[in-house]
């Protein structure tokens, strides 16, 4: 086989064989009992949701509705991040599929954060990041958040937005 044909084929095979992704796919769906039992709402969570809706209103965007199923799904991820002691978007497609299947979400996005000590500081950080800000300003109908502390008292946040 000529080298000019062999090298592109080898590159193509390598690309499909050694593709890398930070997303870990888990075949296990989110436990349905979790979706019915959202953790109690914390003051910092209410403050974050109010700050985001006030920001949206100030930009002439529709305020978002709280949805407890979203909070439950967000909690599964926040708890996961606390367990790992690492902020991440691992298993996002699992959370998205759960919301598509359980509340007919057409679009799903999330913002995560770690170690901010107040609602204002985490919302400011998201608004100062173009990607996070785009999510906050996005075409969504509902949202909710989970905030949990690790053993050192540092907050982890998962804020999920959906469009129905």
């Amino acid at each position: 086989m000529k080298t000019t044909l062999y090298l592109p084929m080898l590159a193509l095979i390598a690309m499909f064989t050694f593709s890398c992704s930070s997303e870990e796919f888990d075949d296990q769906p989110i436990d349905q009992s979790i979706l019915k039992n959202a953790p109690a709402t914390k003051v910092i969570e209410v403050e974050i949701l109010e700050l985001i809706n006030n920001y949206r209103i100030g930009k002439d965007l529709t305020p978002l509705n709280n949805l407890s199923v979203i909070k439950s799904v967000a909690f599964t991820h926040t708890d996961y991040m606390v367990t790992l002691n690492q902020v991440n978007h691992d298993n996002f497609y699992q959370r998205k599929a759960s919301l598509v299947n359980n509340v007919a979400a057409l679009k799903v996005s999330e913002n995560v954060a770690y170690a901010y000590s107040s609602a204002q500081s985490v919302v400011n950080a998201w608004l100062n990041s173009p990607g996070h800000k785009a999510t906050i300003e996005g075409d969504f109908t509902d949202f909710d958040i989970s905030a949990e502390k690790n053993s050192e008292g540092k907050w982890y946040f998962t804020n999920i937005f959906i469009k129905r």
Side-chain angles (χ1 to χ4, degrees):
M1 184 181 281
K2 290 186 176 182
T3 305
T4 56
L5 292 176
Y6 179 72
L7 288 177
M9 282 183 47
L10 186 59
L12 189 60
I13 291 169
M15 185 174 68
F16 287 117
T17 305
F18 303 110
S19 140
C20 63
S21 171
S22 62
E23 178 64 37
E24 294 179 22
F25 293 97
D26 188 349
D27 292 336
Q28 299 299 317
I30 291 176
D31 181 354
Q32 296 300 308
S33 66
I34 292 171
L35 299 178
K36 296 175 185 157
N37 299 314
T41 302
K42 297 171 187 67
V43 171
I44 195 168
E45 294 168 336
V46 172
E47 291 172 346
I48 291 168
L49 298 176
E50 287 176 352
L51 286 167
I52 290 172
N53 266 341
N54 288 340
Y55 173 82
R56 287 179 61 89
I57 291 165
K59 295 287 184 183
D60 292 324
L61 300 168
T62 306
L64 304 174
N65 302 304
N66 296 45
L67 193 59
S68 63
V69 171
I70 297 173
K71 180 176 180 52
S72 297
V73 172
F75 173 74
T76 65
H77 186 60
T78 306
D79 188 51
Y80 171 81
M81 291 191 301
V82 167
T83 300
L84 289 182
N85 203 28
Q86 176 188 35
V87 66
N88 61 62
H89 290 282
D90 291 355
N91 306 309
F92 171 75
Y93 292 104
Q94 181 183 17
R95 289 186 295 289
K96 179 180 178 181
S98 178
L99 291 165
V100 167
N101 293 332
N102 288 288
V103 294
L106 302 172
K107 179 178 167 183
V108 180
S109 189
E110 73 181 11
N111 287 341
V112 297
Y114 163 73
Y116 292 94
S117 59
S118 71
Q120 189 68 61
S121 64
V122 72
V123 172
N124 285 345
W126 285 332
L127 291 174
N128 287 318
S129 163
H132 294 99
K133 182 178 179 180
T135 297
I136 289 172
E137 294 177 351
D139 181 24
F140 297 104
T141 55
D142 306 274
F143 73 154
D144 219 319
I145 190 162
S146 169
E148 299 295 328
K149 285 185 177 179
N150 69 5
S151 60
E152 299 164 1
K154 302 226 185 245
W155 286 102
Y156 282 82
F157 306 90
T158 304
N159 190 193
I160 298 179
F161 301 75
I162 71 166
K163 179 178 183 170
R164 293 194 282 172

